[in-house]
Amino acid sequence: MATIEECRAALEKLSDNMQRAEGDARTAAALDRSVSCHITDLDVTFAGRMTGGRIHVQDTFQGPPREKAQIRLGMTGDDLVALVDGELHFAKAWGSGRVKLHAGVRDLLLLRKLL
């Protein structure tokens, strides 16, 4: 099972990848939205903001998200690490229910280019 530190490192790596995105993925990465990522097996939530092509984690707390972020992810720590490392395909994980993504329709259309 991935640790809180490994999950935080995976989010930082995702943020670095977003910063280097090009084309349509760059447009998606440039969104300015509140974000949360609930790690279900650790029952920990990382909350922050996606802005300037990066994810800025501002808070980490026990339990599910306290506020409804504009972009909300939910998954196990191992799945987060596997997604960021390219070992798990996002669409397949989302389609099977391993990864939960909640966002507005317009944001979902943009995010699919990034993920």
Side-chain angles (χ1 to χ4, degrees):
M1 175 169 28
T3 65
I4 292 174
E5 293 78 19
E6 290 169 323
C7 292
R8 181 179 293 279
L11 287 171
E12 184 66 30
K13 184 177 178 181
L14 175 61
S15 183
D16 291 344
N17 293 345
M18 288 171 52
Q19 187 73 40
R20 293 188 298 270
E22 296 178 359
D24 288 341
R26 181 111 181 127
T27 302
L31 289 172
D32 183 5
R33 302 286 189 271
S34 60
V35 296
S36 67
C37 181
H38 183 228
I39 307 301
T40 56
D41 55 336
L42 299 174
D43 197 26
V44 169
T45 297
F46 296 95
R49 188 143 202 101
M50 186 167 80
T51 185
R54 296 195 60 84
I55 297 171
H56 302 276
V57 175
Q58 299 165 333
D59 199 7
T60 304
F61 51 87
Q62 286 297 124
R66 295 177 182 164
E67 296 179 16
K68 187 177 177 182
Q70 292 167 302
I71 299 172
R72 300 176 305 282
L73 288 163
M75 67 195 82
T76 67
D78 288 342
D79 284 345
L80 173 62
V81 171
L83 278 169
V84 173
D85 287 344
E87 298 168 6
L88 179 63
H89 190 268
F90 179 81
K92 189 177 212 180
W94 187 34
S96 69
R98 286 175 65 177
V99 172
K100 307 271 192 257
L101 171 63
H102 302 279
V105 174
R106 185 168 185 227
D107 288 346
L108 284 173
L109 292 173
L110 286 171
L111 288 170
R112 71 182 170 86
K113 296 172 186 172
L114 181 63
L115 303 169

